[in-house]
Amino acid sequence: MDVFDVVVIGAGAAGMMCAIEAGKRGRSVLVVDHAAKPGEKIRISGGGRCNFTNLHAAPQNFLSQNPSFAISALRRYTQRDFIALVESHGIAYHEKALGQLFCDGPSTQIVNLLLSEMKLHGAELRLSTHVETVEKTAEGFRLGLSHGMIGCRSLVVATGGKSIPKMGATGFGYDLAAQFGLKVTETRPALVPLTLEPTMLERLKPLAGVAVDAVVACGKTRFAEAMLFTHRGLSGPAILQISSYWREGGEITVSMLPQVDLFEELRAARSRNGRQALQTALSAFLPKRLAQLIAEGEPGPANLADYSDKHLRRIEGAVNQWRFKPAGSEGYRTAEVTLGGVDTRELDSRTMEAKAVPGLYFIGEVVDVTGWLGGYNFQWAWSSGWCAGQVA
């Protein structure tokens, strides 16, 4: 039976990062994954360009039942550290809106970076390999793999969450945590499009493909980014962001012209050219299909000149105070990440080691730390993987 110092389950961002750091310390490292290729989520991220981190990554950009847990890891291995690694491999990148960093070339550059660093530091990779059993032993752990038994002193779980099951995502990491008596917080899809009830969906059907820059709010949380109407409901960065905060039965408020005093603009348009239709006046600020739908939803006179201030106020509200209750979300099928996971109270925030099970570590998405859209979840993978790699 082969015995390693460290076995990492999961060849994703966090798992490979941990393997690299453990290998740097001279540890014998094996990474196993049931997938046929490593880093598949890296490959598809950012439209194939990999939004590998965010310049503004900080603890306040993450959700957790224990918000302070992520502070240590994010401060010890920062976005600047990973950027330096990217630059050391000669990978060109650029900044998009809100501090998001993307590769100029294909996202496989980041996968290749990690694979080359693993090879440099002696970490072994076995793909298409299923972990069938895990047992605690006096020396560490014994794993039954689809290709035989192995042993290790330290076991790192980097299996991710349930999001995008077509890529092989499962709840294996949560099951393993439960096997060793660790608590797992409620898990749910996050960074996911929201669906609408049938009547509203039918009414908004003509808007599929229309996008607007909006402020989307749920309670006291709000995001100012693009919103997209789809044939299932709503998507786009603003909706994906707010989905992590929304709960079933809750209300969402949308402002589709947050920088415009639409009431005053319509009053001015009424004075300048009162013979125009409301839809024409709205089209100066909104996409034509959206302007038409709003005008139809607030029926009134043929000419703008005949609209009262009260009516114009209602129209302004329909645009900048649109309130609705989503029917649900598209679920794990399209969710970018999983909210919730291994309870952080069970883990050491500096090492990611389970407090009650020496030698067992949980890193990345499987942990109850979930970042905003825009490279934050990759940064958590790099930071948590780095921390575990210093000690496993």
Side-chain angles (χ1 to χ4, degrees), residues 63-81:
L63 291 78
S64 174
Q65 289 193 11
N66 177 15
S68 64
F69 179 82
I71 293 174
S72 177
L74 293 169
R75 285 182 176 172
R76 292 172 63 215
Y77 189 85
T78 71
Q79 57 269 43
R80 298 292 177 187
D81 294 315

Side-chain angles (χ1 to χ4, degrees), residues 173-175 177-178 182-187 340-343 346 366:
Y174 310 133
D175 296 337
L182 277 65
K183 295 178 182 177
V184 177
T185 69
E186 177 195 5
T187 56
V342 177
D343 194 326
E346 304 278 7
V366 74

Side-chain angles (χ1 to χ4, degrees), residues 29 40 56 105 142 188 260 331 345 353 356 365 369 377:
V29 182
E40 281 295 86
H56 308 308
R142 182 166 53 242
R188 56 185 292 121
V260 177
R345 290 171 295 186
E353 186 176 24
E365 187 183 347
V369 175
N377 286 292

Side-chain angles (χ1 to χ4, degrees), residues 174-221:
Y174 310 133
D175 296 337
L176 198 56
Q179 176 186 327
F180 286 98
L182 277 65
K183 295 178 182 177
V184 177
T185 69
E186 177 195 5
T187 56
R188 56 185 292 121
L191 300 182
V192 62
L194 297 176
T195 59
L196 302 173
E197 52 88 16
T199 302
M200 181 180 290
L201 187 61
E202 182 63 27
R203 186 170 68 86
L204 298 181
K205 203 173 185 179
L207 297 182
V210 172
V212 292
D213 289 329
V215 172
V216 179
C218 182
K220 295 181 180 179
T221 303

Side-chain angles (χ1 to χ4, degrees), residues 72-130:
S72 177
L74 293 169
R75 285 182 176 172
R76 292 172 63 215
Y77 189 85
T78 71
Q79 57 269 43
R80 298 292 177 187
D81 294 315
F82 191 75
I83 291 168
L85 179 61
V86 169
E87 291 175 344
S88 74
H89 280 254
I91 298 174
Y93 63 90
H94 58 279
E95 178 185 353
K96 285 193 177 180
L98 306 174
Q100 302 169 55
L101 299 187
F102 290 77
C103 297
D104 287 356
S107 55
T108 49
Q109 292 177 296
I110 300 296
V111 178
N112 292 336
L113 176 160
L114 297 167
L115 291 174
S116 65
E117 287 285 327
M118 283 174 57
K119 184 177 181 180
L120 177 64
H121 299 293
E124 183 181 340
L125 175 63
R126 295 184 192 174
L127 298 169
S128 301
T129 301
H130 293 264

Side-chain angles (χ1 to χ4, degrees), residues 127-279:
L127 298 169
S128 301
T129 301
H130 293 264
V131 177
E132 297 173 349
T133 60
V134 178
E135 302 172 56
K136 188 80 174 73
T137 66
E139 297 78 24
F141 300 87
R142 182 166 53 242
L143 284 73
L145 306 181
S146 50
H147 303 311
M149 300 292 294
I150 61 169
C152 63
R153 293 174 178 82
S154 296
L155 178 63
V156 182
V157 182
T159 51
K162 300 176 183 177
S163 56
I164 318 182
K166 71 178 181 180
M167 294 184 62
T170 70
F172 178 84
Y174 310 133
D175 296 337
L176 198 56
Q179 176 186 327
F180 286 98
L182 277 65
K183 295 178 182 177
V184 177
T185 69
E186 177 195 5
T187 56
R188 56 185 292 121
L191 300 182
V192 62
L194 297 176
T195 59
L196 302 173
E197 52 88 16
T199 302
M200 181 180 290
L201 187 61
E202 182 63 27
R203 186 170 68 86
L204 298 181
K205 203 173 185 179
L207 297 182
V210 172
V212 292
D213 289 329
V215 172
V216 179
C218 182
K220 295 181 180 179
T221 303
R222 62 191 58 236
F223 291 95
E225 294 190 62
M227 181 183 76
L228 174 70
F229 292 89
T230 75
H231 63 285
R232 292 191 185 91
L234 296 170
S235 188
I239 293 295
L240 299 186
Q241 295 278 37
I242 211 67
S243 72
S244 298
Y245 295 84
W246 175 79
R247 294 294 178 271
E248 285 74 4
E251 188 177 69
I252 284 176
T253 303
V254 176
S255 172
M256 292 179 278
L257 285 174
Q259 306 301 324
V260 177
D261 186 336
L262 186 60
F263 172 68
E264 291 298 335
E265 292 289 350
L266 290 175
R267 289 186 72 203
R270 184 178 62 185
S271 298
R272 287 193 308 269
N273 182 10
R275 298 181 64 183
Q276 66 180 315
L278 172 62
Q279 177 183 335

